[in-house]
Amino acid sequence: MIRGCLVRCGVAALVLLLAGGCAVRPANTLSQFKYPAAQRDMLADAAKAVETTPWPKPQQASFIVRMTGVGGNDRVSRADAVEAYLQELEASGAGFDRLSQDARINLTAARRLDQAAREALRAPRHSMNDIALIETAIQALREHRHIYADAGKELKKRGYAVNDKVLDAMRDDFRLAVKTLGKTADVLADQIDEDRSATYALPDRTIR
């Protein structure tokens, strides 16, 4: 009877041990996979917000179009984007005030992207796609700086009140945003390189 009790207790203890292991280990494994995915989604959303503009996105001509000059008539140039934006500003009646507000929104999105990128540094795994997202946003910010500046100067030519100091500060803010994101992207790239180096440096555990 005592032996049977011991057997039952041993089985119960084994069940509890296995149940405990199953309850904890999948949760840890799941968190390891979910955390990078959540960070990557946050990073992608932040990058998309930076690229969002109140004007149509300029498109570079393809290599064939540049070489032959044939086709590409439906391409949106920077000048087209500036003109479309000016029409929007004039229609709103807000002029330079609207431009300043739009620029501030864009710069705020850039700061949020930098914050999301820095948060991504804490993730256990990284991808070169993360770097590509940031680099694309950086290129967008460079383009936006030119369009805001060109639109501001054109507003002044058309008789709208334009604060030159605010316009100059705006350009500086965009340069700073580009520089800041560039540094964060470099840190993330270095971390990816370190992770790869550590992986390649692992000893060969192949059973011979």
Side-chain angles (χ1 to χ4, degrees):
M1 184 174 181
I2 294 176
R3 183 178 178 183
C5 181
L6 289 175
V7 170
R8 287 195 297 274
C9 290
V11 171
L14 180 61
V15 170
L16 287 173
L17 179 62
L18 292 175
C22 292
V24 174
R25 297 184 67 178
N28 290 340
T29 304
L30 187 61
S31 66
Q32 289 176 358
F33 283 94
K34 273 190 173 182
Y35 182 70
Q39 292 298 105
R40 191 159 295 120
D41 289 343
M42 186 183 300
L43 193 67
D45 290 342
K48 184 177 180 180
V50 170
E51 297 173 37
T52 302
T53 63
W55 58 74
K57 185 178 180 180
Q59 302 164 347
Q60 292 185 347
S62 67
F63 176 77
I64 295 177
V65 171
R66 291 198 299 269
M67 291 295 294
T68 65
V70 177
N73 293 329
D74 57 345
R75 182 176 63 89
V76 178
S77 66
R78 182 187 296 171
D80 295 331
V82 170
E83 183 57 36
Y85 187 40
L86 286 169
Q87 293 178 10
E88 178 72 17
L89 293 174
E90 291 179 325
S92 68
F96 187 71
D97 289 340
R98 164 72 184 278
L99 185 149
S100 299
Q101 180 182 1
D102 290 342
R104 285 195 298 271
I105 291 173
N106 203 185
L107 289 167
T108 298
R111 287 191 289 272
R112 288 174 179 168
L113 173 59
D114 185 66
Q115 182 179 358
R118 291 179 183 276
E119 287 291 330
L121 292 171
R122 299 166 49 196
R125 292 185 304 164
H126 304 290
S127 168
M128 289 304 296
N129 290 334
D130 300 340
I131 306 295
L133 285 172
I134 301 173
E135 291 292 343
T136 300
I138 288 173
Q139 292 298 326
L141 284 172
R142 288 194 178 110
E143 188 67 31
H144 297 174
R145 177 173 64 87
H146 288 296
I147 292 177
Y148 280 121
D150 291 349
K153 290 185 289 186
E154 184 60 30
L155 278 176
K156 189 173 183 179
K157 290 179 181 179
R158 298 185 183 186
Y160 287 85
V162 173
N163 190 321
D164 292 331
K165 290 183 179 180
V166 171
L167 191 60
D168 290 341
M170 186 188 307
R171 284 193 288 255
D172 292 340
D173 288 341
F174 271 95
R175 290 192 189 97
L176 179 59
V178 167
K179 184 177 180 179
T180 301
L181 277 172
K183 289 182 177 180
T184 302
D186 289 342
V187 173
L188 188 57
D190 289 342
Q191 189 162 323
I192 291 175
D193 289 340
E194 290 175 3
D195 291 343
R196 287 180 174 178
S197 298
T199 300
Y200 293 146
L202 289 175
D204 185 2
R205 299 181 182 274
T206 303
I207 299 176
R208 301 180 186 277

